[in-house]
């Protein structure tokens, strides 16, 4: 058709605020807007859960549905562009923190915020604890059929025991973060966004 895929940046309301709160560059936001617009089939400015299901990588991810749900935190049916970008910003790589002003507010892509995102994929009832049942559900989604129910129960039991420091048989966010202390979350939970 020869149409130039020009950026629709002029359509973005609150552009400066979005840049300030997410740390994305103007180029990033513009790219993400194009992506948002391509998913927004009815062009109403909001994405529904079914729009997200058209993202190939999520459709095949065993936790895809939970990841999608994380974009709809308050039981909303639709997510606007600003919320969309704010959540993606959690996955922005962490830049060199050395020159960071220590009094600056915590950035949206901090290690702690990345961990919080992962934690809530387990903590489905949102009570701040991963119970044995919740952990078992996630493991069941992630492993294939070659693992028996008994093995899965054992893995769950052991994982809880290792992480559970206060002995309540569940994993709090603090315990979760400590159990992953040596894991390079900054790297694992970062997406390189095209500039
Ligand atoms: Ca829970
Ligand atoms: Ca505990």
């Amino acid at each position: 058709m020869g149409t130039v895929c020009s950026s629709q940046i002029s359509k973005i309301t609150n552009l400066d605020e979005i840049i300030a709160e997410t740390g994305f560059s103007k180029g990033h936001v513009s790219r993400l807007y194009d992506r948002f617009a391509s998913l927004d089939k009815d062009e109403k400015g909001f994405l529904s859960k079914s729009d997200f299901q058209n993202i190939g990588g999520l459709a095949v991810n065993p936790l895809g549905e939970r990841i999608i749900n994380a974009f709809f935190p308050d039981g909303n049916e639709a997510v606007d562009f600003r919320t969309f970008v704010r959540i993606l910003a959690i996955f922005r790589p962490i830049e060199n923190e050395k020159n960071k002003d220590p009094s600056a507010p915590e950035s949206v892509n901090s290690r702690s915020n990345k961990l919080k995102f992962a934690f809530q994929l387990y903590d489905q009832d949102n009570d701040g604890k991963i119970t044995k049942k919740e952990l078992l559900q996630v493991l069941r989604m992630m492993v294939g059929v070659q693992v028996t129910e008994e093995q899965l129960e054992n893995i769950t039991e052991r994982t809880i025991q290792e992480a559970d420091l206060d002995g309540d048989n569940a994993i709090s966010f603090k315990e979760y973060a400590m159990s992953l202390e040596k894991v390079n979350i900054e790297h694992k939970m970062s997406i390189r966004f095209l500039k």
Side-chain angles (χ1 to χ4, degrees):
M1 299 247 291
T3 342
V4 181
C5 188
S6 66
S7 169
Q8 311 178 67
I9 198 147
S10 59
K11 288 191 194 165
I12 306 171
T13 47
N14 310 322
L15 178 63
D16 293 338
E17 287 161 54
I18 291 174
I19 289 172
E21 71 186 2
T22 62
F24 279 127
S25 68
K26 203 170 174 178
H28 283 137
V29 177
S30 164
R31 288 255 185 186
L32 291 172
Y33 189 79
D34 291 345
R35 182 72 171 131
F36 182 90
S38 73
L39 291 167
D40 179 20
K41 291 276 177 284
D42 60 8
E43 295 177 27
K44 292 205 170 112
F46 294 95
L47 299 185
S48 65
K49 286 189 185 174
S50 68
D51 290 329
F52 276 89
Q53 277 148 8
N54 291 324
I55 302 175
L58 282 178
V60 299
N61 187 311
L63 294 181
E65 203 185 321
R66 291 194 175 195
I67 295 169
I68 293 172
N69 286 339
F71 281 83
F72 301 82
D74 307 313
N76 298 341
E77 294 298 312
V79 45
D80 63 8
F81 179 63
R82 189 169 179 172
T83 310
F84 177 75
V85 181
R86 207 184 278 148
I87 291 169
L88 288 175
I90 297 170
F91 298 94
R92 206 163 56 73
I94 299 172
E95 50 283 283
N96 198 341
E97 302 271 277
K98 278 191 197 128
N99 305 325
K100 207 184 158 211
D101 175 2
S103 64
E106 185 180 358
S107 51
V108 72
N109 63 335
S110 67
R111 177 184 168 95
S112 163
N113 282 331
K114 287 182 196 301
L115 285 172
K116 271 182 202 147
F117 186 90
F119 185 84
Q120 64 167 349
L121 298 180
Y122 295 89
D123 180 21
Q124 289 287 287
D125 67 359
N126 217 3
D127 70 347
K129 286 177 191 178
I130 304 171
T131 59
K132 191 180 161 191
K133 196 175 143 208
E134 286 173 327
L135 182 58
L136 193 59
Q137 279 174 352
V138 172
L139 291 177
R140 199 176 280 137
M141 284 183 229
M142 295 201 295
V143 299
V145 283
Q146 66 272 28
V147 179
T148 67
E149 195 62 24
E150 199 192 338
Q151 285 170 319
L152 215 50
E153 293 256 358
N154 285 338
I155 296 168
T156 308
E157 194 70 51
R158 227 179 310 136
T159 308
I160 300 255
Q161 274 176 16
E162 277 169 22
D164 180 21
L165 301 174
D166 63 2
D168 68 347
N169 218 14
I171 306 174
S172 65
F173 178 68
K174 199 176 154 199
E175 289 166 340
Y176 180 75
M178 285 183 77
S179 75
L180 293 172
E181 214 168 16
K182 296 195 178 71
V183 178
N184 189 347
I185 298 299
E186 291 83 343
H187 179 71
K188 274 191 201 279
M189 288 192 64
S190 292
I191 298 170
R192 284 173 59 91
F193 292 94
L194 295 172
K195 290 210 166 74

